[in-house]
Amino acid sequence: MYRWRDDRRPLTLPPRGPVVITLVLGLVGALTYGVADFLGGLASRRLRTIVVTSAAAVIGIVPLLVGLAILGGTFSGGAILWGSVAGIAGSIGLVLLYSALAIGPMSVLSPVTSVFSALLPVVVAVLLGTRLSGIAIAALVVALIAVALVASVPDHTGARLTTRGLLAAVIAGCGFGGLVLAYNQTSPADGVAPLVVARIVQSVLLCGIALATRRAARGTQAPGEATGRLPWRFWAIVAICGVFDALANVFIQAALHSSTDPATLPIVSVLNALYPIGTVILAGIVLRERMTALQVGGIGLGIAASVVLALN
């Protein structure tokens, strides 16, 4: 976890053992996020995205409560504060991301969101005194490029890039980056408690937005959106999405707490932004969607950057 520093001495990556643990937890968390994002995307073809997202958020409380009962946790002032900040930041990120993708080209705005979600924690860590070796900096830059390439999705809608859409994508990315920063400030002694707080806050906010927009959504049904009773398979997808999203948060928080070195924050933030890898791979396996050359190259760069970080 990052702590305020009174000096500006150069820092290097932690010993290889902790770095490997951080990388494994960060990558597993990113891939788990990717699975949740894929399932959420599938469900959103049948029902409004905000409804799917809010339902998944509510369902995600259950595994976290189970984890709290098994692993324990303390609802300290810090856990409540930073858990609430994480819940608000994550909600802002989700709402503005979907707003951006609705009014602009996905091929541009999705990578913008991913890059800024990784960039914000890196910039904050550097401003607060974190120093990385030249090789580590190069690996993180390559990973950021990989994030942009993997998140790039061919856009066939003809949507124009606007200032409003670009700004929404940037703020959405900062929201996701803010979630990582908030989890970084939690104490390992608080256990799962901050995650429970974050999920409850996020559920309340998203459900409120879903209810507030319900009336406005009437009469504007999207193509393929269901109007009747949805089958149990649909709700199973939503439930699995909520569980995976909750587990991803557990992995990311564990990665942030895997080392006391400040270098852990920028590493985890960049790894977390690689979540589109899981989404793209599943889309190829399940939906038979073909990956573009840029996406394949991005996956390769992301793997290479992770290996360099582990061996540095």
Side-chain angles (χ1 to χ4, degrees), residues 228-287:
R229 185 176 180 180
L230 293 166
W232 68 267
R233 290 183 181 85
F234 169 84
W235 294 111
I237 290 175
V238 175
I240 297 173
C241 171
V243 170
F244 269 76
D245 187 63
L247 290 176
N249 282 268
V250 173
F251 285 122
I252 294 303
Q253 187 194 46
L256 290 167
H257 291 164
S258 62
S259 172
T260 57
D261 195 295
T264 303
L265 174 58
I267 292 174
V268 174
S269 68
V270 173
L271 292 176
N272 181 51
L274 287 171
Y275 71 87
I277 289 180
T279 304
V280 168
I281 292 176
L282 274 181
I285 296 174
V286 179
L287 302 179

Side-chain angles (χ1 to χ4, degrees), residues 21-274:
I21 295 174
T22 300
L23 288 172
V24 170
L25 290 173
L27 287 174
V28 171
L31 291 175
T32 307
Y33 267 132
V35 173
D37 196 44
F38 171 78
L39 295 174
L42 277 183
S44 295
R45 296 183 175 185
R46 302 291 304 277
L47 199 60
R48 285 192 303 139
T49 300
I50 187 63
V51 177
V52 172
T53 305
S54 57
V58 172
I59 293 171
I61 297 175
V62 177
L64 292 178
L65 290 177
V66 172
L68 182 67
I70 297 175
L71 303 176
T74 303
F75 289 92
S76 63
I80 295 174
L81 171 62
W82 294 113
S84 298
V85 171
I88 294 171
S91 299
I92 292 174
L94 283 173
V95 172
L96 289 181
L97 171 61
Y98 294 135
S99 298
L101 297 181
I103 61 177
M106 184 180 297
S107 59
V108 176
L109 298 181
S110 181
V112 168
T113 299
S114 298
V115 169
F116 271 86
S117 71
L119 197 58
L120 178 63
V122 173
V123 171
V124 170
V126 170
L127 290 177
L128 293 178
T130 300
R131 296 292 183 268
L132 295 170
S133 66
I135 295 178
I137 292 174
L140 291 178
V141 170
V142 170
L144 285 174
I145 296 173
V147 168
L149 294 178
V150 174
S152 62
V153 179
D155 187 88
H156 306 292
T157 63
R160 293 188 306 108
L161 180 62
T162 63
T163 302
R164 178 187 171 192
L166 185 60
L167 183 61
V170 170
I171 298 176
C174 291
F176 293 134
L179 182 144
V180 174
L181 286 171
Y183 283 153
N184 187 62
Q185 292 300 317
T186 61
S187 170
D190 292 332
V192 186
L195 302 180
V196 174
V197 173
R199 187 48 54 109
I200 292 175
V201 170
Q202 188 177 54
S203 299
V204 171
L205 291 175
L206 293 179
C207 286
I209 294 173
L211 291 174
T213 57
R214 181 180 179 182
R215 180 175 300 178
R218 291 176 181 173
T220 59
Q221 180 185 343
E225 186 176 351
T227 56
R229 185 176 180 180
L230 293 166
W232 68 267
R233 290 183 181 85
F234 169 84
W235 294 111
I237 290 175
V238 175
I240 297 173
C241 171
V243 170
F244 269 76
D245 187 63
L247 290 176
N249 282 268
V250 173
F251 285 122
I252 294 303
Q253 187 194 46
L256 290 167
H257 291 164
S258 62
S259 172
T260 57
D261 195 295
T264 303
L265 174 58
I267 292 174
V268 174
S269 68
V270 173
L271 292 176
N272 181 51
L274 287 171

